[in-house]
Amino acid sequence: MGLGRHVFQRERSDAELLAAHVAGDRYAFGELFNRHQRQLHRLARLTTRSPEDAEDALQDAMLSAHRGAGSFRHDAAVASWLHRIVVNACLDRLRRARTHPTAPLEDVHPVADRTAQVDTAILVHRALMRLPVEQRAAVVAVDMQGYSVADTAALLGVAEGTVKSRCARARVRLAELLGYLDAGDPADLT
């Protein structure tokens, strides 16, 4: 036999996958979601108060993105559009939780033999959860996800100055809360 023909198919871009989904390709949206799943889940987890809320918000967001794909305007990157939908789903979930308060469950997880890095991460996460939702969403997007102020403003649907002020307030509050790392009892963050 001869050398044979190898067909190399280039990876489709996010925009191509979204267009294929809208055109009826039943696998395109799954491929798009799988490409961004880790980042989207991390964003949801950092924005919400619990793993369960993160999972539910991410599911709500992906359902919304799946259904609303035809209305994507191509004025931003598909990844930014997905991030915006996830943040909005998280904020909606947190707002609903605020109007329907529930009794918090005790967060008792024995952490034997954990490193200082893990302990610090837990304290930072708890401090983040004490921030107002709007400040938390801004500081997570800018300082943890690496979005620019302009991209974060577009993502959250607010002015750039609003993002800057929310980040500044969040950083000051985080510094106050995390000051306990040096001088106090970490239980003060719970």
Side-chain angles (χ1 to χ4, degrees):
M1 264 199 131
L3 292 175
R5 243 176 82 184
H6 294 286
V7 178
F8 294 101
Q9 199 173 24
R10 73 170 179 82
E11 188 175 89
R12 294 187 285 182
S13 71
D14 290 350
E16 290 169 332
L17 285 172
L18 193 61
H21 164 67
V22 171
D25 180 338
R26 61 187 209 173
Y27 301 106
F29 192 83
E31 187 177 334
L32 179 65
F33 174 70
N34 287 335
R35 182 178 292 172
H36 297 282
Q37 181 178 8
R38 286 186 73 203
Q39 273 189 313
L40 296 174
H41 185 269
R42 184 170 184 254
L43 177 63
R45 183 65 180 97
L46 289 168
T47 307
T48 62
R49 298 189 191 282
S50 72
E52 294 81 16
D53 284 342
E55 291 294 330
D56 290 345
L58 186 58
Q59 184 176 0
D60 292 347
M62 289 305 97
L63 207 72
S64 177
H66 189 272
R67 291 178 180 159
S71 65
F72 179 67
R73 296 186 309 265
H74 300 282
D75 58 349
V78 173
S80 295
W81 177 71
L82 290 172
H83 280 73
R84 174 185 292 149
I85 292 171
V86 169
V87 167
N88 286 338
C90 291
L91 295 177
D92 288 346
R93 182 161 286 282
L94 291 172
R95 284 185 198 110
R96 282 194 305 270
R98 204 179 315 158
T99 60
H100 303 293
T102 58
L105 297 175
E106 284 222 17
D107 188 19
V108 181
H109 298 285
V111 192
D113 299 321
R114 296 291 183 166
T115 64
Q117 183 180 13
V118 171
D119 290 339
T120 300
I122 291 168
L123 294 176
V124 169
H125 184 263
R126 286 181 179 165
L128 275 170
M129 292 302 109
R130 293 197 52 198
L131 295 176
V133 171
E134 293 80 10
Q135 289 178 16
R136 182 170 60 240
V139 81
V140 164
V142 173
D143 292 346
M144 299 178 89
Q145 295 287 321
Y147 283 96
S148 68
V149 170
D151 287 345
T152 302
L155 184 72
L156 298 176
V158 297
E160 288 183 34
T162 302
V163 171
K164 289 177 185 177
S165 66
R166 286 178 181 175
C167 284
R169 287 189 198 108
R171 290 176 190 130
V172 166
R173 182 66 178 137
L174 285 171
E176 291 170 357
L177 291 169
L178 295 174
Y180 291 115
L181 288 176
D182 295 330
D185 182 1
D188 290 335
L189 290 176
T190 58

